[in-house]
Amino acid sequence: MNAASTFILSTAEQPWVYLLVFICCTVDGFFPPFPSESIVVGLASLVITQGVPNPWFLIISAGLGAFIGDNIAYAMGKAIGTRRFRWMRSARMQRSFAWAGYELAKRPASLILVARFIPIGRVAVNLTAGATGYSRRNFVGLTALSAVVWSTYSVGIGVVAGSWFEHNHLLGVLVAIGIAVILGIIVDRIIAAVRGSTPMRPEPAKVHSASQ
């Protein structure tokens, strides 16, 4: 986290920082280990204390990247299914795919909107939506809305946290990232608790149909 904070402090004033945010958020849509939330929230924590980056440009670049990344994941799911790569076949991911397939059949709109706030959850839902043939038109509309809400929320967290530490930029970045991580864990735990009451492997053949 210290390394990430130092990197954020060194790039906040650079004109290409918005391109960096866009790329990170795009990749994070289909590759969960990429820390897009940490970068967006960390940069936003400097808006009040340093005056950079521009919060509106930050929201736009993060939201656009999130939208494109989510739709790339949908296209991947449609093209290759949910078992092509080794990381997809892990027990945790397969449980996530099975749950996503079940929930998409019951409440697709709320699932896609909420999943954007959970790093691994959003990848599982987006890939499964493509693999199961969920309406692309509906998916595009829902991911556009979720991207706007997520980017605004992330920048808001950073701005608020950063304002608490006007005289210590590094601490402000660290606290902002910490808050984002904790909130992500809380949402993930809530979803896991709800998921525990639902069947974990509903119609597996249907969920993986695109990979056959």
PDB file of all heavy atoms in Angstrom, residues 55-92:
ATOM      1  N   PRO A  55     -11.313  16.380 -10.588  1.00  0.00           N
ATOM      2  CA  PRO A  55     -12.229  15.312 -10.182  1.00  0.00           C
ATOM      3  C   PRO A  55     -13.195  14.880 -11.282  1.00  0.00           C
ATOM      4  O   PRO A  55     -13.555  13.708 -11.374  1.00  0.00           O
ATOM      5  CB  PRO A  55     -12.980  15.921  -8.991  1.00  0.00           C
ATOM      6  CG  PRO A  55     -12.849  17.400  -9.174  1.00  0.00           C
ATOM      7  CD  PRO A  55     -11.511  17.600  -9.794  1.00  0.00           C
ATOM      8  N   TRP A  56     -13.610  15.837 -12.133  1.00  0.00           N
ATOM      9  CA  TRP A  56     -14.548  15.481 -13.198  1.00  0.00           C
ATOM     10  C   TRP A  56     -13.873  14.617 -14.262  1.00  0.00           C
ATOM     11  O   TRP A  56     -14.458  13.654 -14.763  1.00  0.00           O
ATOM     12  CB  TRP A  56     -15.136  16.747 -13.816  1.00  0.00           C
ATOM     13  CG  TRP A  56     -15.927  17.540 -12.822  1.00  0.00           C
ATOM     14  CD1 TRP A  56     -15.594  18.747 -12.276  1.00  0.00           C
ATOM     15  CD2 TRP A  56     -17.163  17.160 -12.217  1.00  0.00           C
ATOM     16  NE1 TRP A  56     -16.539  19.150 -11.371  1.00  0.00           N
ATOM     17  CE2 TRP A  56     -17.516  18.200 -11.316  1.00  0.00           C
ATOM     18  CE3 TRP A  56     -18.005  16.052 -12.340  1.00  0.00           C
ATOM     19  CZ2 TRP A  56     -18.677  18.153 -10.558  1.00  0.00           C
ATOM     20  CZ3 TRP A  56     -19.161  16.005 -11.590  1.00  0.00           C
ATOM     21  CH2 TRP A  56     -19.503  17.045 -10.711  1.00  0.00           C
ATOM     22  N   PHE A  57     -12.648  14.976 -14.624  1.00  0.00           N
ATOM     23  CA  PHE A  57     -11.903  14.151 -15.577  1.00  0.00           C
ATOM     24  C   PHE A  57     -11.617  12.773 -14.989  1.00  0.00           C
ATOM     25  O   PHE A  57     -11.602  11.769 -15.707  1.00  0.00           O
ATOM     26  CB  PHE A  57     -10.585  14.833 -15.967  1.00  0.00           C
ATOM     27  CG  PHE A  57     -10.753  16.047 -16.833  1.00  0.00           C
ATOM     28  CD1 PHE A  57      -9.690  16.914 -17.047  1.00  0.00           C
ATOM     29  CD2 PHE A  57     -11.974  16.338 -17.427  1.00  0.00           C
ATOM     30  CE1 PHE A  57      -9.839  18.039 -17.846  1.00  0.00           C
ATOM     31  CE2 PHE A  57     -12.140  17.461 -18.230  1.00  0.00           C
ATOM     32  CZ  PHE A  57     -11.065  18.312 -18.431  1.00  0.00           C
ATOM     33  N   LEU A  58     -11.386  12.739 -13.682  1.00  0.00           N
ATOM     34  CA  LEU A  58     -11.121  11.472 -13.008  1.00  0.00           C
ATOM     35  C   LEU A  58     -12.364  10.574 -13.041  1.00  0.00           C
ATOM     36  O   LEU A  58     -12.268   9.376 -13.317  1.00  0.00           O
ATOM     37  CB  LEU A  58     -10.701  11.735 -11.561  1.00  0.00           C
ATOM     38  CG  LEU A  58     -10.169  10.553 -10.753  1.00  0.00           C
ATOM     39  CD1 LEU A  58      -8.955   9.932 -11.439  1.00  0.00           C
ATOM     40  CD2 LEU A  58      -9.801  11.006  -9.339  1.00  0.00           C
ATOM     41  N   ILE A  59     -13.527  11.147 -12.785  1.00  0.00           N
ATOM     42  CA  ILE A  59     -14.777  10.387 -12.839  1.00  0.00           C
ATOM     43  C   ILE A  59     -15.025   9.870 -14.255  1.00  0.00           C
ATOM     44  O   ILE A  59     -15.400   8.701 -14.453  1.00  0.00           O
ATOM     45  CB  ILE A  59     -15.961  11.264 -12.385  1.00  0.00           C
ATOM     46  CG1 ILE A  59     -15.886  11.510 -10.878  1.00  0.00           C
ATOM     47  CG2 ILE A  59     -17.300  10.605 -12.736  1.00  0.00           C
ATOM     48  CD1 ILE A  59     -16.925  12.500 -10.367  1.00  0.00           C
ATOM     49  N   ILE A  60     -14.802  10.727 -15.244  1.00  0.00           N
ATOM     50  CA  ILE A  60     -15.042  10.332 -16.638  1.00  0.00           C
ATOM     51  C   ILE A  60     -14.099   9.222 -17.074  1.00  0.00           C
ATOM     52  O   ILE A  60     -14.526   8.220 -17.668  1.00  0.00           O
ATOM     53  CB  ILE A  60     -14.894  11.557 -17.567  1.00  0.00           C
ATOM     54  CG1 ILE A  60     -16.038  12.542 -17.316  1.00  0.00           C
ATOM     55  CG2 ILE A  60     -14.885  11.118 -19.033  1.00  0.00           C
ATOM     56  CD1 ILE A  60     -15.872  13.872 -18.032  1.00  0.00           C
ATOM     57  N   SER A  61     -12.800   9.382 -16.794  1.00  0.00           N
ATOM     58  CA  SER A  61     -11.826   8.367 -17.233  1.00  0.00           C
ATOM     59  C   SER A  61     -12.040   7.044 -16.515  1.00  0.00           C
ATOM     60  O   SER A  61     -11.945   5.971 -17.120  1.00  0.00           O
ATOM     61  CB  SER A  61     -10.396   8.876 -17.018  1.00  0.00           C
ATOM     62  OG  SER A  61     -10.178   9.243 -15.665  1.00  0.00           O
ATOM     63  N   ALA A  62     -12.358   7.102 -15.202  1.00  0.00           N
ATOM     64  CA  ALA A  62     -12.606   5.868 -14.448  1.00  0.00           C
ATOM     65  C   ALA A  62     -13.890   5.202 -14.906  1.00  0.00           C
ATOM     66  O   ALA A  62     -13.938   3.978 -15.100  1.00  0.00           O
ATOM     67  CB  ALA A  62     -12.687   6.173 -12.948  1.00  0.00           C
ATOM     68  N   GLY A  63     -14.937   5.986 -15.098  1.00  0.00           N
ATOM     69  CA  GLY A  63     -16.219   5.421 -15.526  1.00  0.00           C
ATOM     70  C   GLY A  63     -16.149   4.823 -16.915  1.00  0.00           C
ATOM     71  O   GLY A  63     -16.691   3.739 -17.162  1.00  0.00           O
ATOM     72  N   LEU A  64     -15.482   5.519 -17.829  1.00  0.00           N
ATOM     73  CA  LEU A  64     -15.364   5.008 -19.195  1.00  0.00           C
ATOM     74  C   LEU A  64     -14.555   3.716 -19.217  1.00  0.00           C
ATOM     75  O   LEU A  64     -14.911   2.752 -19.907  1.00  0.00           O
ATOM     76  CB  LEU A  64     -14.702   6.058 -20.085  1.00  0.00           C
ATOM     77  CG  LEU A  64     -14.615   5.720 -21.584  1.00  0.00           C
ATOM     78  CD1 LEU A  64     -16.008   5.488 -22.162  1.00  0.00           C
ATOM     79  CD2 LEU A  64     -13.909   6.850 -22.340  1.00  0.00           C
ATOM     80  N   GLY A  65     -13.463   3.689 -18.446  1.00  0.00           N
ATOM     81  CA  GLY A  65     -12.651   2.477 -18.373  1.00  0.00           C
ATOM     82  C   GLY A  65     -13.427   1.320 -17.776  1.00  0.00           C
ATOM     83  O   GLY A  65     -13.357   0.185 -18.276  1.00  0.00           O
ATOM     84  N   ALA A  66     -14.197   1.583 -16.708  1.00  0.00           N
ATOM     85  CA  ALA A  66     -14.998   0.538 -16.073  1.00  0.00           C
ATOM     86  C   ALA A  66     -16.035  -0.016 -17.044  1.00  0.00           C
ATOM     87  O   ALA A  66     -16.235  -1.228 -17.136  1.00  0.00           O
ATOM     88  CB  ALA A  66     -15.684   1.096 -14.825  1.00  0.00           C
ATOM     89  N   PHE A  67     -16.688   0.871 -17.773  1.00  0.00           N
ATOM     90  CA  PHE A  67     -17.707   0.449 -18.743  1.00  0.00           C
ATOM     91  C   PHE A  67     -17.112  -0.438 -19.832  1.00  0.00           C
ATOM     92  O   PHE A  67     -17.632  -1.510 -20.138  1.00  0.00           O
ATOM     93  CB  PHE A  67     -18.358   1.679 -19.369  1.00  0.00           C
ATOM     94  CG  PHE A  67     -19.261   1.377 -20.526  1.00  0.00           C
ATOM     95  CD1 PHE A  67     -20.507   0.797 -20.316  1.00  0.00           C
ATOM     96  CD2 PHE A  67     -18.864   1.648 -21.829  1.00  0.00           C
ATOM     97  CE1 PHE A  67     -21.350   0.502 -21.384  1.00  0.00           C
ATOM     98  CE2 PHE A  67     -19.687   1.357 -22.906  1.00  0.00           C
ATOM     99  CZ  PHE A  67     -20.934   0.784 -22.684  1.00  0.00           C
ATOM    100  N   ILE A  68     -15.995   0.002 -20.406  1.00  0.00           N
ATOM    101  CA  ILE A  68     -15.366  -0.778 -21.472  1.00  0.00           C
ATOM    102  C   ILE A  68     -14.840  -2.110 -20.933  1.00  0.00           C
ATOM    103  O   ILE A  68     -14.997  -3.156 -21.569  1.00  0.00           O
ATOM    104  CB  ILE A  68     -14.231   0.035 -22.122  1.00  0.00           C
ATOM    105  CG1 ILE A  68     -14.828   1.216 -22.893  1.00  0.00           C
ATOM    106  CG2 ILE A  68     -13.402  -0.850 -23.063  1.00  0.00           C
ATOM    107  CD1 ILE A  68     -13.796   2.132 -23.506  1.00  0.00           C
ATOM    108  N   GLY A  69     -14.231  -2.089 -19.747  1.00  0.00           N
ATOM    109  CA  GLY A  69     -13.708  -3.326 -19.158  1.00  0.00           C
ATOM    110  C   GLY A  69     -14.802  -4.340 -18.892  1.00  0.00           C
ATOM    111  O   GLY A  69     -14.641  -5.537 -19.171  1.00  0.00           O
ATOM    112  N   ASP A  70     -15.937  -3.889 -18.364  1.00  0.00           N
ATOM    113  CA  ASP A  70     -17.054  -4.793 -18.096  1.00  0.00           C
ATOM    114  C   ASP A  70     -17.566  -5.421 -19.387  1.00  0.00           C
ATOM    115  O   ASP A  70     -17.915  -6.602 -19.430  1.00  0.00           O
ATOM    116  CB  ASP A  70     -18.198  -4.041 -17.406  1.00  0.00           C
ATOM    117  CG  ASP A  70     -17.876  -3.686 -15.966  1.00  0.00           C
ATOM    118  OD1 ASP A  70     -16.877  -4.213 -15.433  1.00  0.00           O
ATOM    119  OD2 ASP A  70     -18.624  -2.878 -15.367  1.00  0.00           O
ATOM    120  N   ASN A  71     -17.615  -4.632 -20.447  1.00  0.00           N
ATOM    121  CA  ASN A  71     -18.131  -5.149 -21.709  1.00  0.00           C
ATOM    122  C   ASN A  71     -17.124  -6.039 -22.435  1.00  0.00           C
ATOM    123  O   ASN A  71     -17.518  -6.920 -23.196  1.00  0.00           O
ATOM    124  CB  ASN A  71     -18.599  -3.993 -22.595  1.00  0.00           C
ATOM    125  CG  ASN A  71     -19.959  -3.469 -22.167  1.00  0.00           C
ATOM    126  OD1 ASN A  71     -20.992  -3.952 -22.619  1.00  0.00           O
ATOM    127  ND2 ASN A  71     -19.964  -2.502 -21.267  1.00  0.00           N
ATOM    128  N   ILE A  72     -15.844  -5.822 -22.176  1.00  0.00           N
ATOM    129  CA  ILE A  72     -14.841  -6.758 -22.690  1.00  0.00           C
ATOM    130  C   ILE A  72     -15.023  -8.114 -22.008  1.00  0.00           C
ATOM    131  O   ILE A  72     -14.948  -9.167 -22.654  1.00  0.00           O
ATOM    132  CB  ILE A  72     -13.413  -6.225 -22.443  1.00  0.00           C
ATOM    133  CG1 ILE A  72     -13.124  -5.052 -23.378  1.00  0.00           C
ATOM    134  CG2 ILE A  72     -12.369  -7.334 -22.651  1.00  0.00           C
ATOM    135  CD1 ILE A  72     -11.778  -4.380 -23.134  1.00  0.00           C
ATOM    136  N   ALA A  73     -15.278  -8.089 -20.685  1.00  0.00           N
ATOM    137  CA  ALA A  73     -15.512  -9.335 -19.951  1.00  0.00           C
ATOM    138  C   ALA A  73     -16.747 -10.057 -20.500  1.00  0.00           C
ATOM    139  O   ALA A  73     -16.747 -11.284 -20.645  1.00  0.00           O
ATOM    140  CB  ALA A  73     -15.693  -9.044 -18.459  1.00  0.00           C
ATOM    141  N   TYR A  74     -17.790  -9.311 -20.804  1.00  0.00           N
ATOM    142  CA  TYR A  74     -18.998  -9.909 -21.387  1.00  0.00           C
ATOM    143  C   TYR A  74     -18.658 -10.593 -22.712  1.00  0.00           C
ATOM    144  O   TYR A  74     -19.073 -11.739 -22.965  1.00  0.00           O
ATOM    145  CB  TYR A  74     -20.048  -8.824 -21.616  1.00  0.00           C
ATOM    146  CG  TYR A  74     -21.312  -9.310 -22.288  1.00  0.00           C
ATOM    147  CD1 TYR A  74     -22.432  -9.667 -21.536  1.00  0.00           C
ATOM    148  CD2 TYR A  74     -21.399  -9.398 -23.674  1.00  0.00           C
ATOM    149  CE1 TYR A  74     -23.596 -10.113 -22.150  1.00  0.00           C
ATOM    150  CE2 TYR A  74     -22.546  -9.839 -24.294  1.00  0.00           C
ATOM    151  CZ  TYR A  74     -23.648 -10.195 -23.536  1.00  0.00           C
ATOM    152  OH  TYR A  74     -24.790 -10.641 -24.149  1.00  0.00           O
ATOM    153  N   ALA A  75     -17.889  -9.892 -23.562  1.00  0.00           N
ATOM    154  CA  ALA A  75     -17.502 -10.455 -24.863  1.00  0.00           C
ATOM    155  C   ALA A  75     -16.642 -11.704 -24.687  1.00  0.00           C
ATOM    156  O   ALA A  75     -16.776 -12.680 -25.435  1.00  0.00           O
ATOM    157  CB  ALA A  75     -16.761  -9.406 -25.687  1.00  0.00           C
ATOM    158  N   MET A  76     -15.754 -11.679 -23.688  1.00  0.00           N
ATOM    159  CA  MET A  76     -14.921 -12.854 -23.409  1.00  0.00           C
ATOM    160  C   MET A  76     -15.785 -14.040 -22.993  1.00  0.00           C
ATOM    161  O   MET A  76     -15.582 -15.169 -23.456  1.00  0.00           O
ATOM    162  CB  MET A  76     -13.909 -12.530 -22.302  1.00  0.00           C
ATOM    163  CG  MET A  76     -12.791 -11.612 -22.717  1.00  0.00           C
ATOM    164  SD  MET A  76     -11.724 -11.141 -21.314  1.00  0.00           S
ATOM    165  CE  MET A  76     -11.130 -12.766 -20.787  1.00  0.00           C
ATOM    166  N   GLY A  77     -16.754 -13.781 -22.104  1.00  0.00           N
ATOM    167  CA  GLY A  77     -17.640 -14.853 -21.665  1.00  0.00           C
ATOM    168  C   GLY A  77     -18.418 -15.440 -22.820  1.00  0.00           C
ATOM    169  O   GLY A  77     -18.596 -16.659 -22.923  1.00  0.00           O
ATOM    170  N   LYS A  78     -18.893 -14.588 -23.709  1.00  0.00           N
ATOM    171  CA  LYS A  78     -19.656 -15.040 -24.865  1.00  0.00           C
ATOM    172  C   LYS A  78     -18.798 -15.872 -25.818  1.00  0.00           C
ATOM    173  O   LYS A  78     -19.246 -16.846 -26.418  1.00  0.00           O
ATOM    174  CB  LYS A  78     -20.227 -13.830 -25.610  1.00  0.00           C
ATOM    175  CG  LYS A  78     -21.270 -14.169 -26.677  1.00  0.00           C
ATOM    176  CD  LYS A  78     -21.861 -12.905 -27.243  1.00  0.00           C
ATOM    177  CE  LYS A  78     -22.967 -13.218 -28.239  1.00  0.00           C
ATOM    178  NZ  LYS A  78     -24.121 -13.895 -27.615  1.00  0.00           N
ATOM    179  N   ALA A  79     -17.520 -15.488 -25.933  1.00  0.00           N
ATOM    180  CA  ALA A  79     -16.633 -16.154 -26.882  1.00  0.00           C
ATOM    181  C   ALA A  79     -15.993 -17.427 -26.338  1.00  0.00           C
ATOM    182  O   ALA A  79     -15.847 -18.421 -27.066  1.00  0.00           O
ATOM    183  CB  ALA A  79     -15.533 -15.184 -27.323  1.00  0.00           C
ATOM    184  N   ILE A  80     -15.608 -17.430 -25.060  1.00  0.00           N
ATOM    185  CA  ILE A  80     -14.838 -18.566 -24.539  1.00  0.00           C
ATOM    186  C   ILE A  80     -15.477 -19.251 -23.336  1.00  0.00           C
ATOM    187  O   ILE A  80     -14.964 -20.269 -22.866  1.00  0.00           O
ATOM    188  CB  ILE A  80     -13.407 -18.127 -24.154  1.00  0.00           C
ATOM    189  CG1 ILE A  80     -13.449 -17.152 -22.968  1.00  0.00           C
ATOM    190  CG2 ILE A  80     -12.705 -17.512 -25.350  1.00  0.00           C
ATOM    191  CD1 ILE A  80     -12.075 -16.755 -22.453  1.00  0.00           C
ATOM    192  N   GLY A  81     -16.581 -18.709 -22.805  1.00  0.00           N
ATOM    193  CA  GLY A  81     -17.216 -19.347 -21.658  1.00  0.00           C
ATOM    194  C   GLY A  81     -16.500 -19.055 -20.353  1.00  0.00           C
ATOM    195  O   GLY A  81     -15.785 -18.058 -20.236  1.00  0.00           O
ATOM    196  N   THR A  82     -16.654 -19.937 -19.399  1.00  0.00           N
ATOM    197  CA  THR A  82     -16.107 -19.686 -18.057  1.00  0.00           C
ATOM    198  C   THR A  82     -15.173 -20.801 -17.561  1.00  0.00           C
ATOM    199  O   THR A  82     -14.967 -20.947 -16.360  1.00  0.00           O
ATOM    200  CB  THR A  82     -17.261 -19.524 -17.044  1.00  0.00           C
ATOM    201  OG1 THR A  82     -18.075 -20.702 -17.074  1.00  0.00           O
ATOM    202  CG2 THR A  82     -18.112 -18.314 -17.376  1.00  0.00           C
ATOM    203  N   ARG A  83     -14.586 -21.545 -18.491  1.00  0.00           N
ATOM    204  CA  ARG A  83     -13.656 -22.601 -18.066  1.00  0.00           C
ATOM    205  C   ARG A  83     -12.381 -22.648 -18.904  1.00  0.00           C
ATOM    206  O   ARG A  83     -11.556 -23.541 -18.713  1.00  0.00           O
ATOM    207  CB  ARG A  83     -14.342 -23.982 -18.142  1.00  0.00           C
ATOM    208  CG  ARG A  83     -15.520 -24.152 -17.192  1.00  0.00           C
ATOM    209  CD  ARG A  83     -16.007 -25.593 -17.169  1.00  0.00           C
ATOM    210  NE  ARG A  83     -15.013 -26.486 -16.622  1.00  0.00           N
ATOM    211  CZ  ARG A  83     -14.875 -26.745 -15.326  1.00  0.00           C
ATOM    212  NH1 ARG A  83     -15.691 -26.181 -14.450  1.00  0.00           N
ATOM    213  NH2 ARG A  83     -13.943 -27.553 -14.893  1.00  0.00           N
ATOM    214  N   ARG A  84     -12.182 -21.703 -19.774  1.00  0.00           N
ATOM    215  CA  ARG A  84     -11.069 -21.782 -20.713  1.00  0.00           C
ATOM    216  C   ARG A  84      -9.705 -21.698 -20.020  1.00  0.00           C
ATOM    217  O   ARG A  84      -8.782 -22.450 -20.352  1.00  0.00           O
ATOM    218  CB  ARG A  84     -11.199 -20.654 -21.738  1.00  0.00           C
ATOM    219  CG  ARG A  84     -10.037 -20.560 -22.733  1.00  0.00           C
ATOM    220  CD  ARG A  84      -9.996 -21.768 -23.665  1.00  0.00           C
ATOM    221  NE  ARG A  84     -11.211 -21.867 -24.431  1.00  0.00           N
ATOM    222  CZ  ARG A  84     -11.443 -21.232 -25.572  1.00  0.00           C
ATOM    223  NH1 ARG A  84     -10.531 -20.407 -26.080  1.00  0.00           N
ATOM    224  NH2 ARG A  84     -12.576 -21.416 -26.218  1.00  0.00           N
ATOM    225  N   PHE A  85      -9.557 -20.783 -19.064  1.00  0.00           N
ATOM    226  CA  PHE A  85      -8.258 -20.566 -18.427  1.00  0.00           C
ATOM    227  C   PHE A  85      -8.209 -21.187 -17.034  1.00  0.00           C
ATOM    228  O   PHE A  85      -9.241 -21.387 -16.389  1.00  0.00           O
ATOM    229  CB  PHE A  85      -7.955 -19.071 -18.351  1.00  0.00           C
ATOM    230  CG  PHE A  85      -7.928 -18.402 -19.701  1.00  0.00           C
ATOM    231  CD1 PHE A  85      -8.900 -17.459 -20.036  1.00  0.00           C
ATOM    232  CD2 PHE A  85      -6.965 -18.726 -20.633  1.00  0.00           C
ATOM    233  CE1 PHE A  85      -8.898 -16.845 -21.277  1.00  0.00           C
ATOM    234  CE2 PHE A  85      -6.950 -18.122 -21.883  1.00  0.00           C
ATOM    235  CZ  PHE A  85      -7.915 -17.176 -22.211  1.00  0.00           C
ATOM    236  N   ARG A  86      -6.993 -21.442 -16.566  1.00  0.00           N
ATOM    237  CA  ARG A  86      -6.820 -22.113 -15.277  1.00  0.00           C
ATOM    238  C   ARG A  86      -7.458 -21.334 -14.133  1.00  0.00           C
ATOM    239  O   ARG A  86      -8.099 -21.921 -13.267  1.00  0.00           O
ATOM    240  CB  ARG A  86      -5.324 -22.325 -15.004  1.00  0.00           C
ATOM    241  CG  ARG A  86      -5.060 -23.033 -13.677  1.00  0.00           C
ATOM    242  CD  ARG A  86      -3.573 -23.235 -13.452  1.00  0.00           C
ATOM    243  NE  ARG A  86      -2.991 -24.070 -14.482  1.00  0.00           N
ATOM    244  CZ  ARG A  86      -1.680 -24.341 -14.567  1.00  0.00           C
ATOM    245  NH1 ARG A  86      -0.844 -23.810 -13.678  1.00  0.00           N
ATOM    246  NH2 ARG A  86      -1.220 -25.112 -15.527  1.00  0.00           N
ATOM    247  N   TRP A  87      -7.295 -19.999 -14.110  1.00  0.00           N
ATOM    248  CA  TRP A  87      -7.843 -19.220 -13.003  1.00  0.00           C
ATOM    249  C   TRP A  87      -9.370 -19.294 -12.969  1.00  0.00           C
ATOM    250  O   TRP A  87      -9.985 -19.163 -11.919  1.00  0.00           O
ATOM    251  CB  TRP A  87      -7.376 -17.767 -13.062  1.00  0.00           C
ATOM    252  CG  TRP A  87      -7.843 -16.983 -14.264  1.00  0.00           C
ATOM    253  CD1 TRP A  87      -7.190 -16.838 -15.450  1.00  0.00           C
ATOM    254  CD2 TRP A  87      -9.056 -16.223 -14.378  1.00  0.00           C
ATOM    255  NE1 TRP A  87      -7.918 -16.042 -16.301  1.00  0.00           N
ATOM    256  CE2 TRP A  87      -9.053 -15.647 -15.669  1.00  0.00           C
ATOM    257  CE3 TRP A  87     -10.123 -15.967 -13.516  1.00  0.00           C
ATOM    258  CZ2 TRP A  87     -10.091 -14.833 -16.125  1.00  0.00           C
ATOM    259  CZ3 TRP A  87     -11.167 -15.158 -13.966  1.00  0.00           C
ATOM    260  CH2 TRP A  87     -11.151 -14.603 -15.251  1.00  0.00           C
ATOM    261  N   MET A  88      -9.976 -19.546 -14.131  1.00  0.00           N
ATOM    262  CA  MET A  88     -11.431 -19.685 -14.178  1.00  0.00           C
ATOM    263  C   MET A  88     -11.898 -20.985 -13.535  1.00  0.00           C
ATOM    264  O   MET A  88     -13.016 -21.079 -13.029  1.00  0.00           O
ATOM    265  CB  MET A  88     -11.930 -19.662 -15.628  1.00  0.00           C
ATOM    266  CG  MET A  88     -11.766 -18.355 -16.347  1.00  0.00           C
ATOM    267  SD  MET A  88     -12.381 -18.524 -18.050  1.00  0.00           S
ATOM    268  CE  MET A  88     -12.339 -16.814 -18.590  1.00  0.00           C
ATOM    269  N   ARG A  89     -11.022 -21.986 -13.552  1.00  0.00           N
ATOM    270  CA  ARG A  89     -11.427 -23.313 -13.072  1.00  0.00           C
ATOM    271  C   ARG A  89     -11.172 -23.529 -11.584  1.00  0.00           C
ATOM    272  O   ARG A  89     -11.424 -24.618 -11.068  1.00  0.00           O
ATOM    273  CB  ARG A  89     -10.697 -24.393 -13.881  1.00  0.00           C
ATOM    274  CG  ARG A  89     -11.078 -24.402 -15.370  1.00  0.00           C
ATOM    275  CD  ARG A  89     -10.581 -25.659 -16.074  1.00  0.00           C
ATOM    276  NE  ARG A  89      -9.133 -25.701 -16.174  1.00  0.00           N
ATOM    277  CZ  ARG A  89      -8.440 -25.204 -17.190  1.00  0.00           C
ATOM    278  NH1 ARG A  89      -9.069 -24.598 -18.196  1.00  0.00           N
ATOM    279  NH2 ARG A  89      -7.130 -25.282 -17.230  1.00  0.00           N
ATOM    280  N   SER A  90     -10.669 -22.505 -10.897  1.00  0.00           N
ATOM    281  CA  SER A  90     -10.462 -22.641  -9.458  1.00  0.00           C
ATOM    282  C   SER A  90     -11.808 -22.813  -8.763  1.00  0.00           C
ATOM    283  O   SER A  90     -12.854 -22.387  -9.268  1.00  0.00           O
ATOM    284  CB  SER A  90      -9.748 -21.414  -8.899  1.00  0.00           C
ATOM    285  OG  SER A  90     -10.598 -20.280  -8.940  1.00  0.00           O
ATOM    286  N   ALA A  91     -11.779 -23.441  -7.594  1.00  0.00           N
ATOM    287  CA  ALA A  91     -13.026 -23.711  -6.877  1.00  0.00           C
ATOM    288  C   ALA A  91     -13.779 -22.418  -6.567  1.00  0.00           C
ATOM    289  O   ALA A  91     -15.011 -22.350  -6.716  1.00  0.00           O
ATOM    290  CB  ALA A  91     -12.722 -24.465  -5.577  1.00  0.00           C
ATOM    291  N   ARG A  92     -13.058 -21.391  -6.149  1.00  0.00           N
ATOM    292  CA  ARG A  92     -13.710 -20.133  -5.798  1.00  0.00           C
ATOM    293  C   ARG A  92     -14.391 -19.505  -7.007  1.00  0.00           C
ATOM    294  O   ARG A  92     -15.539 -19.046  -6.923  1.00  0.00           O
ATOM    295  CB  ARG A  92     -12.692 -19.152  -5.212  1.00  0.00           C
ATOM    296  CG  ARG A  92     -13.339 -17.832  -4.802  1.00  0.00           C
ATOM    297  CD  ARG A  92     -12.326 -16.858  -4.240  1.00  0.00           C
ATOM    298  NE  ARG A  92     -12.974 -15.629  -3.784  1.00  0.00           N
ATOM    299  CZ  ARG A  92     -12.330 -14.547  -3.352  1.00  0.00           C
ATOM    300  NH1 ARG A  92     -11.001 -14.573  -3.279  1.00  0.00           N
ATOM    301  NH2 ARG A  92     -12.986 -13.477  -2.976  1.00  0.00           N
TER     302      ARG A  92
END
